[in-house]
Amino acid sequence: MGTVTLGVSIAVPEPYGSLIQERRASFGDPAAHGIPTHVTLLPPTEVDGAALPAIEEHLARVASGCRPFPMRLSGTGTFRPLSPVVFVQVVEGAAACAWLQKRVRDASGPLVRELQFPYHPHVTVAHGIAEEAMDTAYEELSEYRAEWSCASFALYEQGTDGVWRKLHEYAFGGGDGGPGMPCQNTPLGHPASLRP
């Protein structure tokens, strides 16, 4: 079956997702229309295609132990000069994203991997383009705001054309159905980690 390149992310819903994607394209980022607007939980990762069923089962288990949590975006940030990226900041929901990405990459699962940089949830709005265009993105989206209730994440595959396509969306199981987000202070996989 060969290898496939996968990613796991939280989609930024409409109308926010399309708006950010259009703005990203307007800054001259050629990847804008090939990458749905998202917050990464697992960066591009090459895996054996035969592992897909185990990966899908793992992600379903992770999602079943989660419940919706508030997400809020506000203002811009950048990873420059370390990395040529301008992003919209996640100002609420970042702790839950960090918890989720650890679960996705858990050592007991099929997606274990080390990260190149410490995890920092964000929404990319410009990547690898001219410095002037990066500055424009940073300035023009500095007042950007969006908020929603995050209730799922999705598995994506990158095609040979460079476009990311959704394979499956995993709705959260809801825990006890109450509001809140996963707890940050309990061991992964421990039942208490599903309580606020």
Side-chain angles (χ1 to χ4, degrees), residues 26-170:
S26 77
F27 302 135
D29 191 329
H33 291 295
I35 304 174
T37 307
H38 67 281
V39 175
T40 299
L41 297 177
L42 177 78
T45 301
E46 195 171 282
V47 301
D48 187 331
L52 265 174
I55 289 168
E56 291 177 345
E57 184 179 324
H58 167 67
L59 294 175
R61 271 196 310 272
V62 171
S64 72
C66 300
R67 56 186 173 180
F69 58 88
M71 287 282 284
R72 186 161 53 93
L73 310 179
S74 181
T76 49
T78 183
F79 294 132
R80 296 183 293 175
L82 189 61
S83 182
V85 173
V86 170
F87 56 86
V88 171
Q89 299 184 73
V90 176
V91 296
E92 185 175 6
C97 291
W99 185 89
L100 274 173
Q101 64 89 25
K102 284 182 186 175
R103 293 282 308 201
V104 167
R105 296 186 302 106
D106 188 67
S108 67
L111 291 173
V112 60
R113 64 161 287 178
E114 294 297 318
L115 298 179
Q116 184 178 0
F117 300 105
Y119 183 72
H120 181 91
H122 63 279
V123 177
T124 298
V125 294
H127 180 218
I129 57 177
E131 286 295 318
E132 297 78 13
M134 301 273 273
D135 292 340
T136 299
Y138 186 89
E139 291 161 13
E140 290 190 7
L141 291 173
S142 64
E143 300 296 320
Y144 184 81
R145 306 284 184 271
E147 58 184 282
W148 71 95
S149 177
C150 177
S152 66
F153 59 77
L155 174 67
Y156 291 82
E157 179 180 354
Q158 186 179 38
T160 55
D161 57 0
V163 175
W164 288 90
R165 295 176 177 86
K166 183 164 60 175
L167 296 180
H168 191 84
E169 187 163 355
Y170 300 89

Side-chain angles (χ1 to χ4, degrees), residues 61-62 64-67 99 103 174-176 181-196:
R61 271 196 310 272
V62 171
S64 72
C66 300
R67 56 186 173 180
W99 185 89
R103 293 282 308 201
D176 62 6
M181 65 182 184
C183 179
Q184 312 307 300
N185 302 316
T186 54
L188 293 180
H190 189 281
S193 66
L194 306 182
R195 302 284 183 252

